[in-house]
Amino acid sequence: AELIDPAIKGTLNVLKSCAKVPSIKRVVITASIVSVVYNGKPLTSDVVVDETWFSDSRFCEKNKLWYMASKTLAEEAAWRFAEEKRMDLVVLNPGFVVGPLLQPSLNYTSEVVLAHTRGENIFPSSIYWLVDVQDVAYAHIQAFEIPSATGRYCLVERVVEFPEILKTLNELYPTLGLERNHSFPLINDRCEELHKPLKRRYQVSQEKAKSLGLSFTPWERSLRETVESLKEKGFLSI
């Protein structure tokens, strides 16, 4: 009730409004990578996820992944509506968006990164599909303006695990004390993991996204710029 209904109705409300305006030639929707990867297929290290993947709403509902279900059902509804109305629809599927903040307040993703600086993970998963906010914004413009843009576009720079994010933060900002701060049990639990060799994870294809002229920002730089933005706006003091 809190996630699925608003996602579907909100998406369709906008599309219905667009369909009433003859001068609108194309609609670009911001969906999510979670409407791509949650289908029950094993995500082993040799897997490359691409735009042909679709999450299974029944799998999401069965596993009580309500946010994933809401994004999946909303995108499915959008494609059905676009086909019915013969609307030129382009869908972008970004991962977990990080980078500098425009607004003066915290949003959910910046709250998650702020928690990372304390060694905490408030995200419901230990796996992150990271992408820079500036790359996502640029992709929207390109998807709208390039005539040949079509279908879906996965926008993920790298699939990263929480311990790797902690390790990178510790290297960028040693004064955070992520390895020696005993105030947070989670950090102590993760200390050993910070020094383990990193496992190779599955990948998300960038081939189609690069056809929009997109050159992905390395996730480490995006993470650093997020932290610097949090410092600048007074949410973090290091």
Side-chain angles (χ1 to χ4, degrees):
E2 294 177 7
L3 291 171
I4 293 176
D5 287 348
I8 296 172
K9 290 175 182 175
T11 300
L12 289 178
N13 283 343
V14 172
L15 291 178
K16 287 173 183 176
S17 297
C18 293
K20 295 175 183 176
V21 185
S23 61
I24 294 178
K25 303 302 181 187
R26 173 177 290 173
V27 179
V28 179
I29 283 184
T30 312
S32 171
I33 196 66
V34 302
S35 62
V36 177
V37 299
Y38 283 90
N39 51 27
K41 294 181 184 178
L43 293 168
T44 52
S45 61
D46 59 331
V47 168
V48 179
V49 174
D50 63 20
E51 288 77 10
T52 65
W53 283 50
F54 286 84
S55 293
D56 183 341
S57 58
R58 290 168 298 182
F59 172 82
C60 294
E61 291 176 4
K62 180 181 177 181
N63 290 280
K64 302 188 185 304
L65 303 168
W66 302 118
Y67 176 76
M68 291 71 177
S70 72
K71 289 294 186 181
T72 301
L73 290 166
E75 187 183 343
E76 288 175 357
W79 283 117
R80 284 195 301 270
F81 183 87
E83 184 177 3
E84 178 188 333
K85 299 295 182 180
R86 297 185 179 181
M87 177 182 285
D88 181 5
L89 180 68
V90 178
V91 174
L92 301 181
N93 299 85
F96 190 88
V97 183
V98 292
L101 287 69
L102 275 180
Q103 75 282 359
S105 58
L106 288 173
N107 58 3
Y108 176 69
T109 52
S110 54
E111 284 181 350
V112 171
V113 176
L114 187 59
H116 287 168
T117 66
R118 301 189 295 267
E120 301 170 350
N121 185 20
I122 59 174
F123 193 57
S125 169
S126 64
I127 305 298
Y128 288 76
W129 316 272
L130 296 177
V131 62
D132 193 278
V133 63
Q134 295 160 111
D135 295 343
V136 176
Y138 180 72
H140 278 74
I141 296 169
Q142 294 295 87
F144 189 72
E145 295 186 346
I146 295 176
S148 60
T150 184
R152 311 164 88 209
Y153 292 85
C154 294
L155 304 177
V156 174
E157 197 278 324
R158 190 74 60 85
V159 182
V160 184
E161 286 193 89
F162 174 61
E164 186 174 358
I165 295 174
L166 273 190
K167 180 177 181 179
T168 302
L169 276 174
N170 189 66
E171 291 169 353
L172 291 172
Y173 300 97
T175 55
L176 286 172
L178 292 180
E179 289 189 282
R180 62 179 186 274
N181 192 330
H182 298 287
S183 301
F184 301 103
L186 179 58
I187 294 173
N188 298 321
D189 294 341
R190 297 286 188 184
C191 276
E192 188 180 339
E193 293 189 53
L194 289 175
H195 299 288
K196 284 182 180 178
L198 298 173
K199 293 184 293 184
R200 185 179 183 274
R201 300 210 58 83
Y202 68 92
Q203 301 174 62
V204 177
S205 174
Q206 298 179 350
E207 185 177 350
K208 194 176 180 192
K210 287 181 177 178
S211 72
L212 295 176
L214 195 60
S215 178
F216 284 95
T217 304
W219 71 269
E220 297 91 341
R221 189 200 307 173
S222 302
L223 184 63
R224 178 171 53 80
E225 290 183 355
T226 309
V227 173
E228 290 300 318
S229 184
L230 290 169
K231 288 167 58 182
E232 180 187 331
K233 294 181 184 292
F235 296 110
L236 178 64
S237 178
I238 301 178

